[in-house]
């Protein structure tokens, strides 16, 4: 059943997944079980979570605490997300809880690779207009679509995030970033069916460091250039990441011929254990394998500083327009 979404949490502390909004002042604690949430894995606890959240937001620095247990939290049926954090300044999410998306019930029905304009399954956790915030130590397992989606966010740190879905699960991007500025992803581990991290148009100043990707498709910029009003992607730094059993390290996907310039500021210090293409530029048919990525001198030491790419070649020191 599509509405079955389980929010399960694993840890040993009472407050092991806490959501703090409006940091500052007294951090009064609002425990979801005091607001009607039941840790039995089957009672719909969404209202309990929402009521605890409302209580916390009404104070100056409230903490929503989710105790040990498995909670079933139903989603907004007609939206593109399961859980949404919307219009929040100074949000902190931490504590080793697991968002279990129950994607195995949706993957067999996902025809989005074959059908245009299909209804996409929901992203597990969407952040929209979230600013000056930290997401630390959470786990996302088996999302129906993307695990995490940051849209129009500013100054957000994601640290110690652990993302898992099977290698053959469709469209399960680990972290998607779009129209956001100042995002740092670090010390995280992403094993999923689609992109490890995908970066859409209008994204600027994105630092990805010490992330383990694999299996999956690696880090992707794009697809870009499909629509006329897209904004540039600027200042992407990918550093000290490991790509193990991925299709790519970093790849740029563009729709020819109207693509925009993409500047990859840094792609360096990598451990590319087993990626088909450490660096790749794909135009439209991004399923085909690239050939030129392993050219001598380009990535023999698997790094590239201040480089840009065009169609499968890395060009250190140049900014190159899409095809
Ligand atoms: C989360 O897990 C890490 C590593 O296992 C541990 O050090 C930390 O204390 C845990 N945090 C909480 C709030 O449970
Ligand atoms: C990314 O790294 C650069 C260089 O270390 C730093 O100047 C910038 O503030 C960082 N941006 C984010 C969003 O962490
Ligand atoms: C690079 O990443 C590894 C984990 O893959 C980590 O142990 C190490 O501290 C990182 N190095 C730096 C300089 O961040
Ligand atoms: C290896 O990377 C360093 C730092 O980016 C660069 O200066 C050097 O030329 C590269 N070596 C080769 C053989 O590409």
């Amino acid at each position: 059943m599509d509405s079955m979404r389980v929010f399960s949490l694993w840890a040993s502390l009472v407050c092991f997944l806490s959501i703090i909004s409006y940091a500052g002042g007294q951090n009064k604690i609002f425990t979801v079980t005091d607001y009607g949430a039941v840790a039995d894995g089957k009672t719909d606890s969404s209202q309990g979570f929402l009521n605890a959240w409302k209580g916390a937001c009404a104070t100056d620095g409230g903490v929503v605490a989710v105790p040990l247990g498995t909670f079933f939290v139903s989603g907004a049926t007609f939206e593109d997300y399961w859980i949404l954090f919307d219009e929040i300044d100074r949000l902190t999410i931490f504590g080793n809880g697991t968002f279990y998306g129950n994607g195995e019930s949706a993957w067999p029905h996902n025809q989005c690779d074959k059908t245009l304009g299909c209804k996409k399954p929901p992203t597990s956790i969407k952040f929209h207009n979230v600013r000056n915030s930290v997401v630390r130590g959470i786990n996302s397992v088996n999302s129906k679509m993307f695990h995490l989606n940051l849209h129009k966010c500013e100054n957000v740190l994601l640290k110690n995030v652990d993302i898992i879905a099977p290698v053959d699960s469709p469209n399960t991007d680990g972290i998607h970033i779009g129209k956001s500025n100042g995002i740092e992803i670090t010390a995280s581990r992403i094993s999923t069916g689609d992109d490890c991290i995908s970066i859409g148009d209008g994204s600027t100043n994105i630092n990805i460091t010490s992330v383990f990707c694999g299996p999956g498709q690696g880090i992707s910029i794009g697809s870009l250039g499909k629509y006329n009003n897209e904004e540039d992607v600027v200042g992407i730094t990918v550093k000290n990441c490991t790509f193990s059993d991925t299709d790519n390290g970093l790849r740029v996907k563009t729709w020819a011929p109207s693509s925009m310039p993409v500047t990859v500021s840094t792609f360096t210090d990598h451990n590319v254990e087993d990626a088909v293409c450490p660096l790749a530029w794909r135009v439209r048919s991004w399923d085909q394998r690239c050939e030129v990525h392993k050219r001598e001198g380009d990535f023999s030491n698997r790094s590239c500083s201040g480089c840009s790419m065009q169609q499968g070649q890395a060009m250190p020191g140049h900014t190159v327009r899409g095809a």
Side-chain angles (χ1 to χ4, degrees):
M1 227 181 92
D2 188 57
S3 62
M4 277 292 284
R5 285 146 197 167
V6 179
F7 185 80
S8 66
L9 305 160
W10 320 76
S12 51
L13 294 174
V14 176
C15 294
F16 68 92
L17 185 130
S18 305
I19 300 163
I20 308 176
S21 102
Y22 308 114
Q26 297 287 313
N27 281 343
K28 191 160 180 259
I29 292 177
F30 297 79
T31 304
V32 293
T33 43
D34 292 341
Y35 289 82
V38 183
D40 63 0
K42 50 182 200 268
T43 306
D44 187 351
S45 294
S46 43
Q47 204 53 49
F49 276 67
L50 281 175
N51 288 343
W53 176 263
K54 278 179 197 154
C57 289
T59 71
D60 179 24
V63 175
V64 173
V66 182
L68 179 65
T70 300
F71 295 85
F72 167 55
V73 175
S74 66
T77 316
F78 302 107
E79 303 294 347
D80 64 349
Y81 52 81
W82 167 34
I83 293 168
L84 172 70
F85 294 97
D86 194 16
E87 290 285 348
I88 305 170
D89 195 9
R90 285 174 294 155
L91 167 76
T92 304
I93 303 180
F94 69 95
N96 302 352
T98 297
F99 293 84
Y100 191 91
N102 204 23
E104 52 275 40
S105 68
W107 300 327
H109 311 293
N110 183 342
Q111 299 294 312
C112 288
D113 283 345
K114 298 174 196 115
T115 322
L116 276 174
C118 73
K119 170 98 177 75
K120 288 181 177 151
T123 285
S124 276
I125 311 166
K126 184 167 178 177
F127 298 91
H128 180 252
N129 277 321
V130 170
R131 297 168 299 276
N132 310 313
S133 296
V134 178
V135 176
R136 181 160 41 86
I138 65 157
N139 310 293
S140 173
V141 178
N142 290 2
S143 56
K144 289 187 167 74
M145 182 79 188
F146 299 167
H147 292 263
L148 272 56
N149 183 357
L150 282 72
H151 191 67
K152 297 192 173 169
C153 292
E154 174 109 30
N155 188 23
V156 177
L157 167 66
L158 296 106
K159 189 171 182 185
N160 301 131
V161 173
D162 208 332
I163 290 176
I164 302 172
V167 66
D168 57 355
S169 55
N171 307 123
T172 51
D173 292 22
I175 302 171
H176 179 77
I177 302 168
K179 298 201 191 304
S180 295
N181 175 47
I183 309 297
E184 184 173 355
I185 303 174
T186 189
S188 294
R189 205 180 162 90
I190 303 174
S191 310
T192 194
D194 207 288
D195 292 327
C196 172
I197 296 168
S198 55
I199 301 168
D201 85 285
S203 299
T204 54
N205 188 19
I206 312 290
N207 287 356
I208 302 169
T209 53
S210 308
V211 173
F212 181 99
C213 289
Q217 297 185 9
I219 296 175
S220 294
I221 298 174
S223 323
L224 299 175
K226 190 174 183 182
Y227 306 101
N228 285 331
N229 54 353
E230 291 180 8
E231 297 157 38
D232 288 1
V233 172
V234 182
I236 309 298
T237 297
V238 180
K239 218 170 160 180
N240 190 38
C241 292
T242 299
F243 299 94
S244 175
D245 194 17
T246 54
D247 296 346
N248 307 280
L250 177 65
R251 93 182 140 165
V252 179
K253 300 192 284 187
T254 57
W255 293 80
S258 62
S259 306
M260 63 198 53
V262 173
T263 309
V264 178
S265 3
T266 319
F267 179 80
T268 190
D269 305 331
H270 294 92
N271 182 10
V272 182
E273 288 172 0
D274 189 14
V276 177
C277 310
L279 275 171
W281 185 296
R282 305 279 177 77
V283 178
R284 194 172 292 167
S285 53
W286 33 80
D287 287 332
Q288 75 200 13
R289 297 276 174 261
C290 60
E291 311 88 40
V292 276
H293 53 280
K294 281 179 181 161
R295 256 182 8 184
E296 188 59 36
D298 279 348
F299 302 108
S300 50
N301 65 3
R302 306 195 188 289
S303 71
C304 157
S305 265
C307 64
S308 298
M309 293 183 285
Q310 62 175 1
Q311 295 208 42
Q313 294 182 336
M315 311 267 299
H318 294 272
T319 300
V320 183
R321 285 185 178 271

